[in-house]
Amino acid sequence: MNNENAAYYRYNLLLAAASPLLALFLAQRFLSGKSRPGWSERWGHLPSFDSLSPNRIWVHAVSAGEVVASLPILRALKSSFPDHALFLSVITPAGHEVAVKQAAAWLEGLFYAPFDLPWVVKRVVRTLRPQLYVSLESELWPNLLHTLKRHGVNTALVNGRITPRSFERARRFAPGLFRWMLGNVDLLLMQSQADAERVAVLGGAPVEGRIHVVGNTKFDQELHPLDRARREQMKAELRLPLEAPVLVAGSTRSANEERIVVQAFLQMRRRLPSLCLIVAPRQLSRVEETLQILRQANLNPARRTSPQASVTDCLVLDTMGELVDVYAVADVAFLGNTFPPVVQGGGQNILQPLAHGKPVLHGPHYATIRAEVALAQEAGVAFPVANAEELAAKALQLLGDKCLLEKLAQRAQSLIQANRGASQRCIEALAPLLKAGALR
């Protein structure tokens, strides 16, 4: 038995041993509704795609953030390989919703990714029969990658990243698993040199020739700053006073984080009574909780979708996909999922407010966007804060200097422009894999 087969059997023996716990976990996911959408697809039951082109590319993203990162890749793939059918898989309902709204024009198929069980992934690979499989960021599924390789499918990781914490865990607890898993990936296109060095260590010497640093595809998003007339129109739609300054807290993930934002907002209002607040919880299921937190602070929040027409100074965004434009009405933005407790190490899409020229304040946790934050801090357009007091003080400092805000807007938009092009570099690297796949 070779090393690859040995690793495959060890991994699946562990899955079998843990099957009672896995069954309970999956049941909980189904009953809670988190995995209920696409339940049949998650078990590998996809519709037939026999009528579509036999030239097929399967792109996989997890949730909304990874789907956003995939959009420039999907657009470039469709432009460069128009005779190929593109398929996108996701894991979360939020990712599915973003894909429906923003990626449908390029796709021949959208489905929920299969559970990483041998018979399930085999069923999907046999149904889809892709020439190329492309996974986003840090999505590596051992059985799926093993099965794709056994079926002669070329594989790539694009926009790859490995956080320091994930690297240390993998190196300490599962080095053999990662060597086997990365051995099934033909191409590793990483965001930064640090990410490339980490994946080289985890994959061992054989993986080194397959690693390239291409940058971050999120910089290639179609983010268009709104002109003054459109910003004023949006402010009116949001029922905010036209001349009032605005703090937007985007993609907040917890009650604790929102309480910090509210505390800072109340402190700021003592010096800036006209200040308005928009809170956009990352999950729409938390909207009511967010409203309650604001009411407990003696604020009178309104929902974005509320039919009332009265002007408000405190708004909760209860829509999906609108935050990217709402950042345009901000004077200062706070980036959610950066105060504990955070999800997956912390961080959300920092490029959306920067594309509108808005300075970004963030808490101490941002592992999933470490590279973007480093660039933004170096450009002087992102500012770390440790608590509500620092958040209030830094925001007031920025709001008190209109000349500085104008300079920061120029710096932020220049930063976005300077880092574009990663998607095209990815396509150039992927093209040989597609040609090789076509010859098989």
Side-chain angles (χ1 to χ4, degrees), residues 50-269:
D50 290 344
S51 62
L52 299 177
S53 168
N55 302 317
R56 299 175 181 182
I57 303 171
W58 175 7
V59 179
H60 172 62
V62 183
S63 190
E66 290 79 13
V67 172
V68 167
S70 78
L71 296 176
I73 294 287
L74 293 169
R75 184 174 65 244
L77 283 170
K78 198 63 178 178
S79 175
S80 300
F81 306 101
D83 61 330
H84 284 65
L86 287 185
F87 299 85
L88 178 66
S89 62
V90 299
I91 290 180
T92 70
H96 195 278
E97 185 171 353
V98 172
V100 168
K101 290 182 177 179
Q102 301 187 41
W106 306 309
L107 301 177
E108 277 69 40
L110 170 64
F111 57 93
Y112 284 93
F115 293 125
D116 196 47
L117 299 170
W119 67 93
V120 177
V121 296
K122 284 178 184 176
R123 184 182 296 143
V124 171
V125 172
R126 287 171 179 166
T127 299
L128 209 57
R129 302 192 308 276
Q131 287 179 298
L132 175 65
Y133 171 81
V134 178
S135 189
L136 267 290
E137 299 202 355
S138 55
E139 275 293 282
L140 298 167
W141 292 100
N143 276 323
L144 176 57
L145 291 169
H146 174 87
T147 302
L148 288 164
K149 187 172 184 179
R150 291 288 295 270
H151 282 75
V153 180
N154 287 321
T155 59
L157 180 71
V158 303
N159 218 43
R161 61 176 177 81
I162 299 179
T163 67
R165 186 178 181 184
S166 296
F167 172 68
E168 291 301 331
R169 284 180 174 176
R171 187 167 64 168
R172 183 176 179 183
F173 297 112
L177 172 64
F178 274 82
R179 277 195 301 273
W180 164 55
M181 195 162 50
L182 291 169
N184 288 323
V185 183
D186 296 300
L187 194 60
L188 294 150
L189 305 179
M190 310 305 289
Q191 293 183 20
S192 70
Q193 185 61 38
D195 292 309
E197 291 169 0
R198 292 181 195 122
V199 82
V201 171
L202 293 178
V207 85
E208 290 180 355
R210 294 177 271 134
I211 302 172
H212 303 275
V213 178
V214 297
N216 191 334
T217 64
K218 288 182 179 178
F219 282 96
D220 294 331
Q221 296 172 61
E222 291 187 319
L223 300 173
H224 303 296
L226 305 186
D227 59 28
R228 180 170 181 173
R230 183 67 186 96
R231 287 197 304 272
E232 291 180 353
Q233 180 184 349
M234 172 151 279
K235 212 165 186 179
E237 290 173 3
L238 297 172
R239 308 189 300 278
L240 300 172
L242 188 59
E243 300 300 325
V246 179
L247 168 65
V248 173
S251 297
T252 53
R253 296 296 294 251
S254 70
N256 180 66
E257 183 166 65
E258 287 164 356
R259 289 190 183 100
I260 291 173
V261 170
V262 170
Q263 185 180 347
F265 174 68
L266 293 175
Q267 292 178 27
M268 295 168 67
R269 283 262 288 245

Side-chain angles (χ1 to χ4, degrees), residues 32-51:
S32 68
K34 292 180 179 178
S35 294
R36 192 177 301 166
W39 185 249
S40 179
E41 294 175 353
R42 296 179 195 272
W43 287 102
H45 299 289
L46 303 184
S48 171
F49 299 113
D50 290 344
S51 62

Side-chain angles (χ1 to χ4, degrees), residues 306-432:
S306 172
Q308 67 184 39
S310 58
V311 173
T312 184
D313 60 4
C314 184
L315 186 72
V316 174
L317 198 64
D318 59 351
T319 57
M320 179 65 73
E322 194 176 25
L323 177 60
V324 60
D325 285 338
V326 169
Y327 276 127
V329 307
D331 293 276
V332 176
F334 168 75
L335 190 68
N337 197 33
T338 56
F339 278 119
V342 296
V343 178
Q344 295 180 340
Q348 295 295 152
N349 192 332
I350 193 174
L351 303 184
Q352 290 179 345
L354 293 179
H356 288 291
K358 310 303 177 180
V360 177
L361 308 178
H362 60 82
H365 301 282
Y366 48 87
T368 61
I369 53 166
R370 190 173 298 277
E372 299 100 300
V373 170
L375 289 170
Q377 289 181 351
E378 185 179 346
V381 293
F383 307 92
V385 293
N387 49 46
E389 289 72 23
E390 289 189 13
L391 174 56
K394 189 62 186 180
L396 283 171
Q397 178 191 350
L398 295 171
L399 291 169
D401 191 338
K402 290 193 177 296
C403 290
L404 175 60
L405 286 177
E406 291 176 3
K407 290 178 182 178
L408 295 183
Q410 294 173 0
R411 287 185 202 169
Q413 291 169 343
S414 296
L415 173 68
I416 299 292
Q417 291 300 322
N419 285 277
R420 287 185 178 275
S423 299
Q424 188 56 43
R425 290 188 287 273
C426 286
I427 299 304
E428 292 168 2
L430 293 172

